[in-house]
Amino acid sequence: MSTTPVIAVIESQLSDFGLTPLRAAHELGYRAVLVSNDPDRYRIVSTADEVYAKYIDGILTADTNSVASVVEALAPFHAEGVLAGVMTVTDYNIPVVAEIAAHFGLPGMNVDAAAACRDKLVQRELMRDAGVAVPRFTQAVTEADALAAAEEYGLPVVVKPMTESASIGVSLCRTPEEVAAAHHAIASVPLNFRGQPRRPGALVEEYLIGYELSAEIVYDGREHVVVGLTDKALGPHPYFAELGEVFPSLLSEPVRAACAELAVRALTAVGHDFGAAHVEVKVTEGGPYVVEINGRMAGAEIPRLILESTGIHMQREVAKLHAGVPADLTPTQSRAAASRYLTARSAGILAGVEGADLARRVPGVVTVVLQPKAGKPVKPAESNLDYLGTVVATADTAGDALRCADAAIGQLTPVVAEAEGE
């Protein structure tokens, strides 16, 4: 019987980033155990072979939508006194993890706050009631509700599911017909991406015109520490897929300060009291508004940008918090980094991606990763699940890093063939 303490990662994001908490836990000296209802789902990401072979110390199959099922799976570790922490970096399992942590007496977010972070409707209600600026919103249970909200707020409006992640199902609707179609597309699907029940209907929101950024924040046991702000680039409407980030933000100090202050107020409003948070903010002519709260560290390449810029290893520091060890959020350097995501320009079958060798030759580029393999169906990005690849560049300034990342992504050309029968 091993006496090495265990950190259990209960599901994760379906990306290279999603496997990094397991690697971080292993490198910290813990046994990294993956708990999943489909442990092989993560093998599609580009780093899976290495992580599964070198950094995952155990795999448990359980119904990760059920607290009781995961508690049963982890009970032997708890009985042996080696279960040090439970964590996740996917929105879908934040409430489950909070309940499991409470059951075992482990560090974790309070259950009510975790539920609020998971549900876009509940968090908006709590923020609105606390005086935090959020867009006007309506839970449209019926199509008539959706059309009435669109008329009240004025077109265009944003229509979205209430319990999805990665911008799945989010669209900008410019006409009543588009509102009705988006509502039907969401309301007619009873389960979310991970097989959990959705709230009835859809969320209809006032559309905020402006630019988006996110606040990367960690509650260290005493206060919310703003690690930094990330500038975000979004793809073309009607969708809201993210096409890249820059860290630290290029915005002026007054704008950064206002956004950071608003993000902390938002977390206070929902009762966030543990670990990392990723708060999305939109800056408009009337000031900043909170778009949504995610009760976990940022995904995609943002933790890599933070590491390259500040030296802070977010995955390791957050894993330490879940194991009851204080996090060290002290920057050890002052640089900058930027990411850009490759997407398909047309639908079809991916034949390959040209130019990876050229992208790697761009000064400052530290990562060029291509995700789907040739032969996979692809389409222009509708959500963050539709990426074909990633580039990350670093430099002394955010502007230089951004230009390098833009130059690198410009070298990459997806070759897409028409699917048979088209």
Side-chain angles (χ1 to χ4, degrees):
M1 180 183 69
S2 173
T3 58
T4 303
V6 169
I7 290 181
V9 177
I10 301 167
E11 301 292 6
S12 196
Q13 295 186 15
L14 200 60
S15 64
D16 283 330
F17 162 74
L19 296 177
T20 59
L22 289 151
R23 177 171 181 165
H26 177 92
E27 291 177 340
L28 285 167
Y30 297 92
R31 275 187 286 165
V33 174
L34 171 64
V35 185
S36 175
N37 56 24
D38 180 7
D40 290 331
R41 68 157 47 101
Y42 305 102
R43 291 188 182 275
I44 65 170
V45 306
S46 64
T47 58
D49 290 346
E50 178 188 14
V51 174
Y52 274 75
K54 295 173 60 176
Y55 303 110
I56 295 180
D57 302 299
I59 296 176
L60 298 176
T61 301
D63 178 1
T64 48
N65 295 329
S66 163
V67 173
S69 178
V70 179
V71 164
E72 181 180 3
L74 294 176
F77 292 130
H78 180 67
E80 294 167 8
V82 296
L83 185 60
V86 292
M87 64 178 293
T88 190
V89 292
T90 179
D91 298 293
Y92 297 100
N93 294 93
I94 288 171
V96 170
V97 168
E99 291 191 45
I100 293 165
H103 175 86
F104 287 124
L106 297 170
M109 198 187 316
N110 82 73
V111 172
D112 289 341
C117 288
R118 178 72 192 98
D119 190 310
K120 294 178 175 62
L121 175 64
V122 172
Q123 62 180 247
R124 279 159 177 71
E125 291 173 337
L126 290 170
M127 288 188 286
R128 176 198 60 198
D129 294 347
V132 175
V134 295
R136 292 177 291 170
F137 61 91
T138 294
Q139 180 189 7
V141 177
T142 67
E143 180 182 305
D145 294 336
L147 293 172
E151 182 175 2
E152 177 183 355
Y153 303 151
L155 293 167
V157 292
V158 178
V159 182
K160 63 177 66 171
M162 286 163 274
T163 57
E164 291 287 6
S165 184
S167 297
I168 293 172
V170 183
S171 62
L172 183 70
C173 300
R174 301 179 184 277
T175 68
E177 292 76 17
E178 290 179 354
V179 172
H183 179 272
H184 175 75
I186 295 168
S188 62
V189 178
L191 302 178
N192 65 27
F193 182 68
R194 290 290 175 91
Q196 301 163 334
R198 281 178 163 180
R199 271 187 179 274
L203 197 66
V204 178
E205 289 184 347
E206 171 190 18
Y207 177 51
L208 300 175
I209 299 175
Y211 51 84
E212 188 170 316
L213 67 153
S214 59
E216 321 311 338
I217 299 175
V218 176
Y219 189 80
D220 66 356
R222 302 179 303 277
E223 61 181 351
H224 285 103
V225 178
V226 181
V227 176
L229 300 180
T230 308
D231 291 337
K232 303 172 77 173
L234 302 180
H237 294 321
Y239 306 111
F240 290 82
E242 296 175 15
L243 297 186
E245 301 101 4
V246 181
F247 187 96
S249 171
L250 286 159
L251 296 172
S252 66
E253 193 283 329
V255 174
R256 296 197 310 271
C259 291
E261 188 269 341
L262 182 68
V264 170
R265 286 178 52 214
L267 291 173
T268 302
V270 301
H272 182 274
D273 63 348
F274 178 85
H278 170 70
V279 183
E280 297 177 347
V281 176
K282 202 157 193 182
V283 180
T284 73
E285 186 178 24
Y289 287 74
V290 175
V291 176
E292 67 181 51
I293 291 172
N294 301 281
R296 40 81 181 169
M297 78 177 95
E301 294 297 330
I302 295 176
R304 176 67 183 272
L305 305 189
I306 293 172
L307 177 63
E308 296 286 353
S309 300
T310 68
I312 298 171
H313 195 305
M314 288 288 285
Q315 295 96 317
R316 291 183 189 174
E317 300 310 316
V318 171
K320 284 162 60 176
L321 285 173
H322 283 274
V325 178
D328 184 357
L329 302 174
T330 306
T332 58
Q333 61 190 41
S334 180
R335 300 195 77 232
S339 63
R340 285 294 181 261
Y341 303 116
L342 181 67
T343 61
R345 299 167 189 173
S346 60
I349 303 300
L350 184 67
V353 176
E354 298 176 345
D357 56 333
L358 299 176
R360 293 186 177 99
R361 290 165 56 187
V362 173
V365 169
V366 293
T367 298
V368 177
V369 175
L370 303 180
Q371 290 285 8
K373 295 180 174 60
K376 296 291 185 180
V378 297
K379 65 180 186 299
E382 297 178 7
S383 76
N384 299 349
L385 299 180
D386 296 323
Y387 299 149
L388 304 185
T390 306
V391 301
V392 173
T394 65
D396 289 335
T397 71
D400 289 345
L402 173 59
R403 294 311 304 270
C404 292
D406 280 340
I409 203 70
Q411 310 304 314
L412 300 177
T413 303
V415 179
V416 178
E418 288 189 0
E420 291 184 14
E422 292 187 1

